[in-house]
Amino acid sequence: MPLFTIIGSSNAIPTKKRDTTYLTLQTKEKYILIDCGTNAFVRLVQSGMSPDQLTDIIVTHFHPDHVVGLPLLLMDLWLIGRKQPLIIHGLNETITRIEKMMSLFGWGNWPEFFQVSFQVVPQVKSVILYDSSVKLWSTPVKHLIPTIGLRIESLSKPFSIAYTCDTEPCQGVDDLALGADILIHESAGNAKGHSTAGQAGEAAARAEVDKLVLIHYPNHSEESKLINEAAVNYSGEIITAVDGMTFRW
Ligand SMILES: [Zn+2]
């Protein structure tokens, strides 16, 4: 039974309770990390998952709050003796920067470091990966740097989750969200490259999703205010994401 977990739900300023936004998807065959926040190794263990089981990491864009934990996670996997290869997916620009970051850490000289391979995600709507239970595709969204949003579609029953990542309202968000069961939409606020909770509600209404989950909202926000703001435009169920929230299907 696939399991989708919100590991962290905060904007770029984490707290004790809320880590920066990153997510996992577990299926029978794959264990996928979506972005890599400040304390991934510990948070994955706390969520009852073994970090060594990771098969894929998808990096949505190269902003620190989405990628900062990656060097330490890779190092820790090496130190616990990982042997199996790992695939990292991202846009060309994202991968180029990850390689530069890792070369600063001298990862080419880590003895017996496990194999990491990169899969370039095209700058158009495209399937990133699939297995017997899910198909996961991405499309570019409108952020400050090249960024992708994601959609997970179940192959066993009609069920889908869309994740906008960091973005202004745009066609990519509408494509990802269309008819989704769950739309996980950022609500960082009124700033270039981001969306308000009200705009998240508008997107949820346009796409006729069943449920809206607000994520990446500032820690000083009053959650009821965010929900009320989104509800101006959207009459479905609205909740705010918290760390550890899970969805199964
Ligand atoms: Zn960002």
Side-chain angles (χ1 to χ4, degrees):
M1 192 185 276
L3 173 66
F4 184 85
T5 305
I6 294 175
I7 303 290
S9 63
S10 170
N11 68 350
I13 307 169
T15 65
K16 270 190 202 167
K17 276 192 179 169
R18 296 182 63 217
D19 203 355
T20 52
T21 293
Y22 53 121
L23 318 155
T24 55
L25 171 65
Q26 284 172 281
T27 69
K28 222 161 108 184
E29 295 137 67
K30 292 191 190 290
Y31 178 14
I32 303 156
L33 177 64
I34 300 168
D35 287 335
C36 194
T38 58
N39 201 10
F41 196 91
V42 170
R43 290 300 187 111
L44 292 177
V45 171
Q46 279 174 344
S47 306
M49 308 171 200
S50 166
D52 195 31
Q53 300 304 310
L54 283 173
T55 57
D56 299 79
I57 301 177
I58 299 170
V59 181
T60 60
H61 65 299
F62 198 84
H63 270 161
D65 52 323
H66 294 259
V67 78
V68 71
L70 189 60
L72 183 59
L73 177 65
L74 293 176
M75 184 181 216
D76 287 348
L77 291 175
W78 168 53
L79 293 175
I80 62 170
R82 182 187 178 99
K83 294 283 177 264
Q84 69 265 40
L86 181 71
I87 304 172
I88 298 179
H89 309 256
L91 292 168
N92 193 38
E93 164 157 326
T94 310
I95 286 178
T96 302
R97 289 178 183 212
I98 291 170
E99 287 182 296
K100 279 186 191 164
M101 172 173 71
M102 293 310 301
S103 71
L104 285 174
F105 286 110
W107 72 334
N109 298 321
W110 296 356
E112 294 178 55
F113 184 54
F114 57 93
Q115 187 201 333
V116 174
S117 57
F118 291 103
Q119 290 278 343
V120 176
V121 174
Q123 275 274 14
V124 290
K125 179 180 170 182
S126 41
V127 174
I128 295 186
L129 50 85
Y130 61 88
D131 63 14
S132 62
S133 58
V134 297
K135 178 171 85 170
L136 191 155
W137 57 268
S138 72
T139 200
V141 291
K142 197 173 174 190
H143 192 37
L144 302 167
I145 57 171
T147 301
I148 49 171
L150 304 170
R151 177 153 167 149
I152 295 148
E153 294 183 355
S154 167
L155 300 178
S156 58
K157 60 164 100 164
F159 181 83
S160 55
I161 297 179
Y163 168 53
T164 62
C165 197
D166 296 8
T167 182
E168 293 176 15
C170 66
Q171 186 60 48
V173 168
D174 289 352
D175 292 347
L176 289 167
L178 188 64
D181 291 80
I182 297 170
L183 170 60
I184 301 174
H185 199 303
E186 76 119 293
S187 45
N190 187 14
K192 189 171 164 45
H194 288 285
S195 302
T196 63
Q199 288 169 326
E202 286 172 10
R206 275 196 303 275
E208 299 183 351
V209 303
D210 283 353
K211 183 175 189 165
L212 172 62
V213 181
L214 299 174
I215 199 166
H216 204 284
Y217 54 90
N219 283 294
H220 57 74
S221 310
E222 263 181 60
E223 292 172 25
S224 59
K225 252 189 179 170
L226 291 173
I227 290 173
N228 290 341
E229 202 186 317
V232 170
N233 304 304
Y234 172 64
S235 57
E237 185 188 354
I238 307 168
I239 58 172
T240 46
V242 293
D243 293 17
M245 185 177 269
T246 57
F247 303 95
R248 279 179 198 277
W249 63 93

